[in-house]
Amino acid sequence: MNNLFKINRSLRTLLLGATLLAASGSYTGALAQAPQREVLDKVIAIVDEGVVLQSELNARLEEINSQALQSGRQLPSEADLLAQVIEALVIESLQMQFADRMGVRF
C-alpha cells in the first residue's frame, strides 16, 4: 500500500508538471499571437514641462507647404524647413508655458 501511494504521488507530480508545461506553452503561444501595438504619436522635443509631438510638426509642415503652394512661394530646403518649424514649435511651447505660469488664460 505504501509503494502504491508513492507511485500515485509520483504520477500526480508528473501529470501536474506536464499540465503546467502544456499551459505555459499555450500561454507563450497566445503572447506571440497578441496584436502589435500601434504608435499613435511621438515626442520630438521635451520643452521644460511640455512636449512637442510629431503630429504637431506634421500639421505645421502641411500648413506651410499648402500655403507655399497656393502663393507660389519657394520654401527652404527640407532640412532647413524642418529645423525652423521645430524651433518655432519649441518657442511657442515655451511662450505658452510662461503665459500659463503668469496666469494668462486664453
Side-chain angles (χ1 to χ4, degrees), residues 95-106:
Q95 290 171 336
M96 294 299 286
Q97 289 178 52
F98 181 72
D100 189 47
R101 287 184 189 136
M102 295 295 114
V104 177
R105 301 288 177 227
F106 298 96

Side-chain angles (χ1 to χ4, degrees), residues 44 50 69 72 79 84 92 98 103:
I44 60 166
L69 186 61
Q84 290 172 14
E92 288 173 20
F98 181 72

Side-chain angles (χ1 to χ4, degrees), residues 33-77:
Q33 296 173 359
Q36 297 296 319
R37 291 183 180 178
E38 181 181 345
V39 176
L40 300 178
D41 215 339
K42 291 182 180 180
V43 173
I44 60 166
I46 298 173
V47 185
D48 195 24
E49 295 179 4
V51 293
V52 176
L53 299 174
Q54 181 72 49
S55 60
E56 294 174 292
L57 175 62
N58 293 345
R60 185 67 60 90
L61 287 170
E62 275 185 39
E63 181 183 335
I64 290 169
N65 284 319
S66 175
Q67 289 175 356
L69 186 61
Q70 288 176 356
S71 67
R73 254 186 344 195
Q74 187 174 4
L75 293 173
S77 71

